[in-house]
Amino acid sequence: TTVLKAIEAGLRATGTRSFYRSPTASAVEVLRSEGFDNATTLAAFLLGSRDCDLRGAVIVVDEAGLVSSRQG
């Protein structure tokens, strides 16, 4: 999460909205405990992404190597 915090600081400095996603619920809990309050699972995001405006935003997938090709 050290790298993610640096990424977040840079995004905030430019006024860019960011969304953090992870393939597992346990990884999401770690992200949330580290201050990434809007972290959700990738599956929840893919199912509900129509509910938010993502234009101009950055989506960060933590542990992307664990994502199934069937998921995204």
Side-chain angles (χ1 to χ4, degrees):
T1 56
T2 302
V3 172
L4 292 180
K5 287 181 180 181
I7 291 169
E8 177 66 9
L11 292 171
R12 283 188 185 188
T14 63
T16 304
R17 292 178 307 131
S18 57
F19 297 91
Y20 292 85
R21 306 298 179 244
S22 190
T24 65
S26 59
V28 168
E29 290 305 316
V30 171
L31 287 172
R32 288 181 180 166
S33 73
E34 293 289 330
F36 298 94
D37 298 331
N38 73 357
T40 63
T41 63
L42 188 57
F45 169 70
L46 292 173
L47 292 173
S49 63
R50 292 183 198 106
D51 297 337
C52 79
D53 182 10
L54 299 173
R55 285 176 287 185
V58 172
I59 301 165
V60 179
V61 180
D62 188 35
E63 300 184 24
L66 298 177
V67 176
S68 158
S69 61
R70 291 178 52 202
Q71 214 174 3

